Amino acid sequence: MDTHHNVLIIGGGNAGISLAARLRRYKVEDVALVEPSPWHYFQPLFSHIGAGAAQMKEAVREQRKVMPRGVDWIRVAAADIQPDYNAVVLADGQRVHYNQLVVCPGLQLDWQAVPGMADAIESPYGTSNYESRMPTKTWELVRRLRSGTAVFTQPPGPAKCAGAAQKIAYMACDFWREQGVLGDIRVVLVVPTPTVYGVDGVDGVLERKIAEYGIELRTSTTVDSVDAAERTIRLQGPAGGEDLGYDLLHVVPPQSAPDWLKATTLPAPEDQSGCVEVDPELLRHPRYPNVWSLGDAAATLNSKCGGALRKQVKMLALNLKAVLDGREPENRYNHYGVCPFTLTRHTVLFAEFDHQYRPMPSIPWLNPAKERRWAWVLDRRIFPQVYWHLILKGRA
């Protein structure tokens, strides 16, 4: 049986829940949200969990407990979008019609894109904090390693909080240094970019930390393949191929929009990632004016991260409310992005920047290129509480 809703949101992560909550605060009626998962995760804590500085119970809630009041929760996965008919097809065949649609299902992890990578994380020596079931495994591997080679990789292309691939490397080194074994461990950090991150000032701090820990940095380098049985990883960099043996491997796979979304007419034809085509400031689809997108699955220009999403949610909620009230949308997203780099298990560097990776500090008079202990308290202690009690309730 077909159903209809005023506003239909696809995706029950940070983007979908916080937007739904804010729309309800703005008195928008008949909001429905499509999300099959019974669990909701605060993923920024995964790096801390992997370093033994947090527990998984702090990062997970039942989805039903974070669902905003007055929102109709459709507990089935989306399978297709038919924008010409203002309809979403669900995995069970049901069609849901809408007046306004917001697409924010997040990115999928393309483990099969790199030969052997999926097998590697299931082996006793491989892991990835990007899988919700593995941060605790990461900590066990970090805690047990006393010598050998540890390899940490960051993927090319779009990725949710790409800097998280580096955070665990720095925190692991800090732990090994505390244990007095860092000198016995060869640490290799693999990044696809020409510099360690690309933001002026931030690169200098990261480079000094990398030198302090004795990390071998491979820039402009990607993972070609992994052999879990032989415990080897093949890298492809400017000088050609390189094979490394490992005793601990933390990998992050390439990422893209969900396959079902790629098959719709919403992505731009030339966009291989399959993300939803949008005006990068309005977050509105250029061909379907009643379709919007935000978060990781939107083809915006910014770095994909929670800090960017928080600003997107605020402006999109205002613009959607304006359209529903018969007005033109006036708010614009400023391409803000942020990555809190955990450089030790007690200090954080807040990297704030725009879509061109130019510094964009929230407090202009405060030097952003500096690691601080109070920033760690903010990232580790305060932000999780803000997330659960304010952001997901549409109040921050």
Side-chain angles (χ1 to χ4, degrees):
M1 180 182 297
D2 289 3
T3 57
H4 182 278
H5 292 282
N6 185 25
V7 178
L8 183 63
I9 300 172
I10 299 177
N14 182 352
I17 295 292
S18 54
L19 177 64
R22 192 166 284 271
L23 290 174
R24 292 297 297 139
R25 285 190 61 223
Y26 293 165
K27 308 302 182 184
V28 174
E29 298 294 336
D30 192 17
V31 177
L33 190 148
V34 177
E35 174 54 58
S37 175
W39 301 105
H40 186 100
Y41 296 97
F42 180 54
Q43 297 182 42
L45 270 182
F46 287 2
S47 295
H48 291 282
I49 297 167
Q55 296 182 339
M56 181 55 75
K57 65 182 181 181
E58 301 174 73
V60 61
R61 297 284 190 279
E62 291 182 69
Q63 190 74 272
R64 64 181 180 86
K65 292 185 177 180
V66 301
M67 192 65 58
R69 291 182 180 179
V71 172
D72 185 5
W73 179 16
I74 301 173
R75 308 184 192 193
V76 184
D80 189 19
I81 299 173
Q82 301 172 336
D84 292 320
Y85 301 97
N86 296 328
V88 171
V89 180
L90 304 180
D92 62 1
Q94 180 185 181
R95 291 212 316 174
V96 184
H97 295 267
Y98 57 81
N99 294 334
Q100 300 288 328
L101 174 68
V102 183
V103 185
C104 49
L107 297 178
Q108 68 181 12
L109 303 178
D110 293 329
W111 288 108
Q112 303 303 324
V114 178
M117 188 175 280
D119 293 334
I121 64 166
E122 301 298 340
S123 76
Y125 301 94
T127 187
S128 178
N129 287 342
Y130 277 62
E131 288 281 0
S132 59
R133 58 194 172 89
M134 288 193 169
T136 52
K137 179 185 180 182
T138 301
W139 170 232
E140 286 303 309
L141 292 176
V142 169
R143 185 177 61 84
R144 293 201 307 260
L145 191 66
R146 289 293 180 267
S147 64
T149 299
V151 180
F152 301 86
T153 75
Q154 179 179 324
K160 49 184 178 181
C161 194
Q166 298 185 30
K167 296 177 190 180
I168 185 59
Y170 305 138
M171 286 194 286
C173 284
D174 182 51
F175 172 76
W176 292 326
R177 182 172 58 182
E178 289 177 356
Q179 298 297 306
V181 299
L182 181 59
D184 298 320
I185 300 174
R186 181 190 184 191
V187 182
V188 181
L189 175 61
V190 179
V191 300
T193 46
T195 66
V196 63
Y197 197 67
V199 179
D200 287 344
V202 171
D203 273 356
V205 177
L206 296 179
E207 288 165 0
R208 288 193 293 273
K209 209 68 186 180
I210 286 169
E212 178 184 321
Y213 288 137
I215 296 173
E216 298 177 24
L217 178 64
R218 303 287 193 274
T219 57
S220 301
T221 301
T222 57
V223 180
D224 189 64
S225 62
V226 186
D227 188 328
E230 295 295 326
R231 269 194 286 154
T232 59
I233 181 170
R234 183 164 182 79
L235 307 178
Q236 194 66 39
E242 177 186 11
D243 293 309
L244 290 174
Y246 62 82
D247 300 281
L248 184 158
L249 177 65
H250 182 279
V251 288
V252 181
Q255 295 159 49
S256 63
D259 289 336
W260 66 264
L261 180 55
K262 293 178 188 176
T264 71
T265 58
L266 296 186
E270 69 278 6
D271 187 354
Q272 298 300 310
S273 73
C275 291
V276 178
E277 183 182 8
V278 291
D279 179 310
E281 295 182 356
L282 277 180
L283 306 183
R284 193 180 200 177
H285 201 285
R287 291 176 281 123
Y288 304 104
N290 66 336
V291 176
W292 312 72
S293 185
L294 75 165
D296 296 345
T300 50
L301 304 176
N302 61 283
S303 175
K304 298 181 184 296
C305 57
L309 179 58
R310 188 170 64 87
K311 292 184 178 293
Q312 291 176 5
V313 166
K314 288 182 178 181
M315 62 79 56
L316 179 52
L318 290 170
N319 282 347
L320 196 51
K321 172 64 173 173
V323 169
L324 290 169
D325 290 343
R327 296 179 284 112
E328 286 298 312
E330 298 179 351
N331 291 274
R332 297 292 187 274
Y333 169 55
N334 65 357
H335 312 292
Y336 172 86
V338 60
C339 181
F341 280 100
T342 43
L343 299 183
T344 72
R345 298 200 305 162
H346 309 286
T347 59
V348 161
L349 163 71
F350 270 109
E352 297 179 287
F353 45 90
D354 66 9
H355 59 302
Q356 295 180 323
Y357 281 77
R358 297 172 299 194
M360 196 183 215
S362 299
I363 307 175
W365 50 264
L366 187 66
N367 178 14
K370 185 177 180 180
E371 62 176 303
R372 294 178 170 88
R373 182 171 177 81
W374 65 257
W376 181 88
V377 174
L378 192 65
D379 184 63
R380 168 65 185 88
R381 300 297 182 188
I382 298 176
F383 279 172
Q385 298 307 312
V386 170
Y387 182 77
W388 294 121
H389 300 294
L390 294 176
I391 290 177
L392 292 186
K393 297 183 184 299
R395 299 182 178 277

PDB file of all heavy atoms in Angstrom, residues 27-38:
ATOM      1  N   LYS A  27       7.859  23.214  14.054  1.00  0.00           N
ATOM      2  CA  LYS A  27       6.422  22.931  13.906  1.00  0.00           C
ATOM      3  C   LYS A  27       6.057  22.366  12.531  1.00  0.00           C
ATOM      4  O   LYS A  27       4.914  22.497  12.075  1.00  0.00           O
ATOM      5  CB  LYS A  27       5.580  24.189  14.178  1.00  0.00           C
ATOM      6  CG  LYS A  27       5.884  24.885  15.491  1.00  0.00           C
ATOM      7  CD  LYS A  27       5.694  23.973  16.683  1.00  0.00           C
ATOM      8  CE  LYS A  27       5.960  24.721  17.994  1.00  0.00           C
ATOM      9  NZ  LYS A  27       5.879  23.818  19.181  1.00  0.00           N
ATOM     10  N   VAL A  28       7.016  21.729  11.868  1.00  0.00           N
ATOM     11  CA  VAL A  28       6.712  21.067  10.599  1.00  0.00           C
ATOM     12  C   VAL A  28       5.967  19.770  10.902  1.00  0.00           C
ATOM     13  O   VAL A  28       6.422  18.945  11.701  1.00  0.00           O
ATOM     14  CB  VAL A  28       7.992  20.775   9.794  1.00  0.00           C
ATOM     15  CG1 VAL A  28       7.674  19.961   8.549  1.00  0.00           C
ATOM     16  CG2 VAL A  28       8.682  22.077   9.420  1.00  0.00           C
ATOM     17  N   GLU A  29       4.841  19.574  10.261  1.00  0.00           N
ATOM     18  CA  GLU A  29       3.995  18.407  10.509  1.00  0.00           C
ATOM     19  C   GLU A  29       4.273  17.296   9.490  1.00  0.00           C
ATOM     20  O   GLU A  29       4.752  17.540   8.395  1.00  0.00           O
ATOM     21  CB  GLU A  29       2.523  18.802  10.450  1.00  0.00           C
ATOM     22  CG  GLU A  29       2.110  19.830  11.492  1.00  0.00           C
ATOM     23  CD  GLU A  29       2.185  19.301  12.921  1.00  0.00           C
ATOM     24  OE1 GLU A  29       2.102  18.060  13.090  1.00  0.00           O
ATOM     25  OE2 GLU A  29       2.330  20.115  13.855  1.00  0.00           O
ATOM     26  N   ASP A  30       3.937  16.074   9.892  1.00  0.00           N
ATOM     27  CA  ASP A  30       4.002  14.897   9.028  1.00  0.00           C
ATOM     28  C   ASP A  30       5.401  14.667   8.469  1.00  0.00           C
ATOM     29  O   ASP A  30       5.616  14.682   7.263  1.00  0.00           O
ATOM     30  CB  ASP A  30       2.982  15.023   7.893  1.00  0.00           C
ATOM     31  CG  ASP A  30       2.803  13.707   7.131  1.00  0.00           C
ATOM     32  OD1 ASP A  30       3.214  12.650   7.665  1.00  0.00           O
ATOM     33  OD2 ASP A  30       2.291  13.756   5.998  1.00  0.00           O
ATOM     34  N   VAL A  31       6.344  14.462   9.391  1.00  0.00           N
ATOM     35  CA  VAL A  31       7.725  14.143   9.032  1.00  0.00           C
ATOM     36  C   VAL A  31       7.931  12.646   9.244  1.00  0.00           C
ATOM     37  O   VAL A  31       7.594  12.104  10.301  1.00  0.00           O
ATOM     38  CB  VAL A  31       8.731  14.935   9.895  1.00  0.00           C
ATOM     39  CG1 VAL A  31      10.169  14.523   9.555  1.00  0.00           C
ATOM     40  CG2 VAL A  31       8.529  16.432   9.700  1.00  0.00           C
ATOM     41  N   ALA A  32       8.472  11.961   8.241  1.00  0.00           N
ATOM     42  CA  ALA A  32       8.760  10.530   8.352  1.00  0.00           C
ATOM     43  C   ALA A  32      10.238  10.286   8.051  1.00  0.00           C
ATOM     44  O   ALA A  32      10.856  11.026   7.279  1.00  0.00           O
ATOM     45  CB  ALA A  32       7.892   9.721   7.399  1.00  0.00           C
ATOM     46  N   LEU A  33      10.793   9.243   8.658  1.00  0.00           N
ATOM     47  CA  LEU A  33      12.210   8.943   8.501  1.00  0.00           C
ATOM     48  C   LEU A  33      12.397   7.463   8.182  1.00  0.00           C
ATOM     49  O   LEU A  33      11.885   6.598   8.895  1.00  0.00           O
ATOM     50  CB  LEU A  33      12.965   9.335   9.777  1.00  0.00           C
ATOM     51  CG  LEU A  33      14.486   9.319   9.725  1.00  0.00           C
ATOM     52  CD1 LEU A  33      15.061  10.385  10.651  1.00  0.00           C
ATOM     53  CD2 LEU A  33      15.051   7.955  10.119  1.00  0.00           C
ATOM     54  N   VAL A  34      13.139   7.179   7.110  1.00  0.00           N
ATOM     55  CA  VAL A  34      13.397   5.809   6.670  1.00  0.00           C
ATOM     56  C   VAL A  34      14.749   5.355   7.210  1.00  0.00           C
ATOM     57  O   VAL A  34      15.787   5.939   6.878  1.00  0.00           O
ATOM     58  CB  VAL A  34      13.404   5.726   5.129  1.00  0.00           C
ATOM     59  CG1 VAL A  34      13.750   4.311   4.679  1.00  0.00           C
ATOM     60  CG2 VAL A  34      12.064   6.174   4.558  1.00  0.00           C
ATOM     61  N   GLU A  35      14.751   4.332   8.048  1.00  0.00           N
ATOM     62  CA  GLU A  35      15.997   3.823   8.632  1.00  0.00           C
ATOM     63  C   GLU A  35      15.769   2.410   9.170  1.00  0.00           C
ATOM     64  O   GLU A  35      14.991   2.215  10.095  1.00  0.00           O
ATOM     65  CB  GLU A  35      16.485   4.729   9.759  1.00  0.00           C
ATOM     66  CG  GLU A  35      17.693   4.209  10.534  1.00  0.00           C
ATOM     67  CD  GLU A  35      18.875   3.875   9.620  1.00  0.00           C
ATOM     68  OE1 GLU A  35      19.341   4.769   8.901  1.00  0.00           O
ATOM     69  OE2 GLU A  35      19.304   2.695   9.620  1.00  0.00           O
ATOM     70  N   PRO A  36      16.465   1.409   8.619  1.00  0.00           N
ATOM     71  CA  PRO A  36      16.237   0.034   9.070  1.00  0.00           C
ATOM     72  C   PRO A  36      17.005  -0.361  10.325  1.00  0.00           C
ATOM     73  O   PRO A  36      16.611  -1.314  11.002  1.00  0.00           O
ATOM     74  CB  PRO A  36      16.728  -0.798   7.881  1.00  0.00           C
ATOM     75  CG  PRO A  36      17.803   0.048   7.277  1.00  0.00           C
ATOM     76  CD  PRO A  36      17.342   1.473   7.442  1.00  0.00           C
ATOM     77  N   SER A  37      18.084   0.343  10.654  1.00  0.00           N
ATOM     78  CA  SER A  37      18.941  -0.099  11.761  1.00  0.00           C
ATOM     79  C   SER A  37      18.302   0.174  13.120  1.00  0.00           C
ATOM     80  O   SER A  37      17.769   1.268  13.350  1.00  0.00           O
ATOM     81  CB  SER A  37      20.295   0.611  11.697  1.00  0.00           C
ATOM     82  OG  SER A  37      21.075   0.268  12.839  1.00  0.00           O
ATOM     83  N   PRO A  38      18.370  -0.787  14.045  1.00  0.00           N
ATOM     84  CA  PRO A  38      17.847  -0.555  15.396  1.00  0.00           C
ATOM     85  C   PRO A  38      18.844   0.179  16.290  1.00  0.00           C
ATOM     86  O   PRO A  38      18.532   0.485  17.435  1.00  0.00           O
ATOM     87  CB  PRO A  38      17.608  -1.973  15.917  1.00  0.00           C
ATOM     88  CG  PRO A  38      18.649  -2.802  15.220  1.00  0.00           C
ATOM     89  CD  PRO A  38      18.814  -2.188  13.859  1.00  0.00           C
TER      90      PRO A  38
END
